[in-house]
Amino acid sequence: MSGIEQARKTAEGLVYSSGFGNEHSSEAVPGALPHGRNSPQRAPLGLYAEQLSGSAFTEPRADNRRSWLYRIRPSAAHPAFTRADNGGLRTAPFTETVPDPNRLRWNPLPDPAPGTDFVSGLWTLGGNGDATQRTGMAVHLYHANSSMTDRVFSDSDGELLIVPERGGLLLRTELGLLRAEPGHVALIPRGVRFRVELLDETARGYVCENYGRPFALPDLGPIGANGLAHARDFLAPVAAYENEDRPVEVVNKYCGNLWTATYDHSPLDVVAWYGTHTPYVYDLRRFNVIGTISYDHPDPSIFTVLTSPSDTPGLAGVDFVVFAPRWLVGEDTFRPPYFHRNVMSEYMGLIDGAYDAKAEGFVPGGGSLHNMMSAHGPDRETFDRASAAELKPQKIEDGLAFMFETRWPIVATPQAAGAGHLQRGYDDVWQGLSRNFRP
């Protein structure tokens, strides 16, 4: 059986524990999870008790993220790390280029070289903030044609929101296994080790690295108690462990650089765990879209799936927004997204189909960047068509797009600003918007 066939067989049988932010608990071997205390004098089954803290000990209970892990060997049992080549991975602060007010758009990443796995296939488009100060975010893309073998990865700088666009992924994490297909998102919390195995010959997608406060579900306000992303649709893994004594390379992203150490055992050896600092997967097509049933196009904030709050209410370090299948019924309304300038900065990607504001040039695997106060909106063809359309109920069901929206401008990396797949004529999509004024 090939590696892909084995990964698919494993992925097909996965079970999960549901609920966003829940205090999940799981044990792969009965009796492995202690009860009545976290750190007994002797942990069950000869395991080691270890707390993984994704927040400061004294953060408010609602914001506190931590999990207790019961593992075959403690994480402290490892040799020294040494610097590794960063490849195409870059980290904030982004100082090699200046913030650019121009609208930018890219085609998909070219095919990777043979033997490229998820980590070596990471390519940074840009970002903002400072990873060492735990502020801001980065936009990465990935392309891969090989599973990670005898290799695991962890990110000390932030959590990783993985958005597959082509090819499924089997994510083997310390806390268990997740399956992420195009149309899903998977979140790996800060510091959690994981390995990516491919479910298809190739894989491609997007990654938001969030240096700031962990993603949370947005408040619903006047919407009420229900709508948008439902907490129960977020799926956490159940405990699954590797009990193997063999050399495993552990790659750690720390303060912007990759560091590597070779362990004499697999660190994915957690037999039981409980807590709130956990990976999860979410199917974007379960998003409960809220929209207008009278007139006008709602602001895109109504499509927010997850938000990383800042110290200013409503001003996010980064929002993750999805444009999922939905009905449009607004009367006397220009239905595509309106022309717009925004204090927030927007990176948009396309997972499937077409986006209703762009008639051409915006393809799955590609992306556009509209930075702070950069004017954008529908292209000429879309404007002409929507302005003359018969306003009958219309269902958008042939596309799935998303947006990383952030409070600071996204500074493109030199490799992104000079990339061969950067579309040099992006401004042309707005040419031909004629003067229609009739005094």
Side-chain angles (χ1 to χ4, degrees):
M1 184 179 295
S2 70
I4 290 178
E5 290 172 334
Q6 182 62 54
R8 286 176 180 168
K9 182 178 180 181
T10 300
E12 288 170 359
L14 293 183
V15 295
Y16 299 104
S17 177
S18 69
F20 186 92
N22 285 9
E23 184 100 341
H24 297 280
S25 63
S26 181
E27 56 184 8
V29 177
L33 192 66
H35 295 277
R37 66 203 70 237
N38 295 323
S39 185
Q41 183 180 22
R42 289 183 296 277
L45 308 182
L47 298 171
Y48 290 90
E50 174 182 292
Q51 184 175 212
L52 176 60
S53 296
S55 60
F57 295 142
T58 51
E59 288 190 45
R61 182 185 291 265
D63 300 325
N64 212 290
R65 305 286 182 95
R66 67 88 180 89
S67 287
W68 276 92
L69 316 179
Y70 301 91
R71 57 193 321 145
I72 296 172
R73 298 193 188 184
S75 292
H78 69 78
F81 282 83
T82 58
R83 274 294 312 278
D85 189 334
N86 289 342
L89 197 59
R90 301 291 182 268
T91 300
F94 295 96
T95 58
E96 295 179 276
T97 59
V98 298
D100 190 339
N102 286 298
R103 301 160 300 197
L104 303 172
R105 190 164 71 179
W106 291 263
N107 290 322
L109 283 177
D111 291 337
T116 300
D117 66 17
F118 177 83
V119 174
S120 57
L122 285 168
W123 186 88
T124 305
L125 183 138
N128 54 41
D130 188 335
T132 65
Q133 301 299 310
R134 297 209 292 271
T135 60
M137 53 83 74
V139 178
H140 311 289
L141 291 89
Y142 70 87
H143 54 181
N145 50 28
S146 178
S147 294
M148 295 170 65
T149 304
D150 296 329
R151 194 180 195 203
V152 300
F153 180 58
S154 68
D155 191 338
S156 298
D157 292 341
E159 61 183 355
L160 298 174
L161 184 68
I162 302 170
V163 187
E165 176 266 323
R166 185 175 71 184
L169 306 177
L170 176 64
L171 305 173
R172 294 185 183 267
T173 81
E174 289 183 89
L175 283 70
L177 281 64
L178 299 172
R179 177 178 185 167
E181 300 276 2
H184 298 163
V185 293
L187 187 129
I188 306 295
R190 187 192 301 264
V192 171
R193 301 187 184 105
F194 67 103
R195 182 169 71 245
V196 179
E197 298 177 14
L198 304 192
L199 300 178
D200 298 281
E201 294 295 334
T202 62
R204 190 172 69 187
Y206 310 83
V207 179
C208 178
E209 184 182 17
N210 175 27
Y211 309 133
R213 289 175 59 183
F215 277 118
L217 295 177
D219 290 331
L220 294 176
I223 293 174
N226 305 287
L228 309 187
H230 297 309
R232 70 172 183 170
D233 290 329
F234 289 81
L235 303 177
V238 298
Y241 66 96
E242 296 180 347
N243 185 12
E244 299 182 21
D245 292 331
R246 55 181 170 81
V248 174
E249 181 189 18
V250 177
V251 181
N252 180 25
K253 183 175 182 292
Y254 185 84
C255 293
N257 293 308
L258 296 184
W259 296 75
T260 182
T262 299
Y263 290 26
D264 61 3
H265 64 282
S266 171
L268 307 182
D269 63 351
V270 177
V271 180
W273 65 273
Y274 91 93
T276 56
H277 192 64
T278 176
Y280 55 75
V281 65
Y282 173 73
D283 185 344
L284 293 172
R285 290 184 171 85
R286 289 185 175 271
F287 186 77
N288 182 207
V289 179
I290 303 294
T292 181
I293 53 172
S294 56
Y295 61 87
D296 283 351
H297 186 99
D299 292 335
S301 51
I302 204 73
F303 305 120
T304 301
V305 182
L306 295 166
T307 185
S308 172
S310 74
D311 52 1
T312 303
L315 183 61
V318 57
D319 283 331
F320 175 63
V321 177
V322 64
F323 301 96
R326 62 199 182 277
W327 280 95
L328 302 180
V329 298
E331 297 178 324
D332 188 23
T333 292
F334 182 81
R335 290 180 176 176
Y338 43 72
F339 291 107
H340 183 50
R341 290 180 294 161
N342 190 359
V343 70
M344 304 287 277
S345 295
E346 306 170 3
Y347 174 81
M348 178 170 283
L350 185 61
I351 300 167
D352 184 46
Y355 177 54
D356 60 329
K358 295 292 185 292
E360 63 80 29
F362 186 48
V363 298
S368 64
L369 175 59
H370 301 146
N371 258 326
M372 176 181 66
M373 290 301 171
S374 296
H376 57 282
D379 58 23
R380 179 181 56 82
E381 183 179 338
T382 301
F383 177 81
D384 291 344
R385 183 177 65 249
S387 298
E390 180 186 356
L391 293 183
K392 59 184 179 181
Q394 170 194 2
K395 188 172 186 182
I396 296 179
E397 54 185 344
D398 61 348
L400 187 62
F402 72 90
M403 187 164 65
F404 301 145
E405 185 174 78
T406 172
R407 65 184 296 187
W408 295 292
I410 293 174
V411 181
T413 59
Q415 64 188 6
H421 59 287
L422 176 67
Q423 296 183 10
R424 309 295 171 181
Y426 181 36
D427 287 337
D428 294 344
V429 305
W430 291 283
Q431 297 303 308
L433 287 165
S434 59
R435 177 188 174 105
N436 298 321
F437 179 54
R438 300 289 185 268

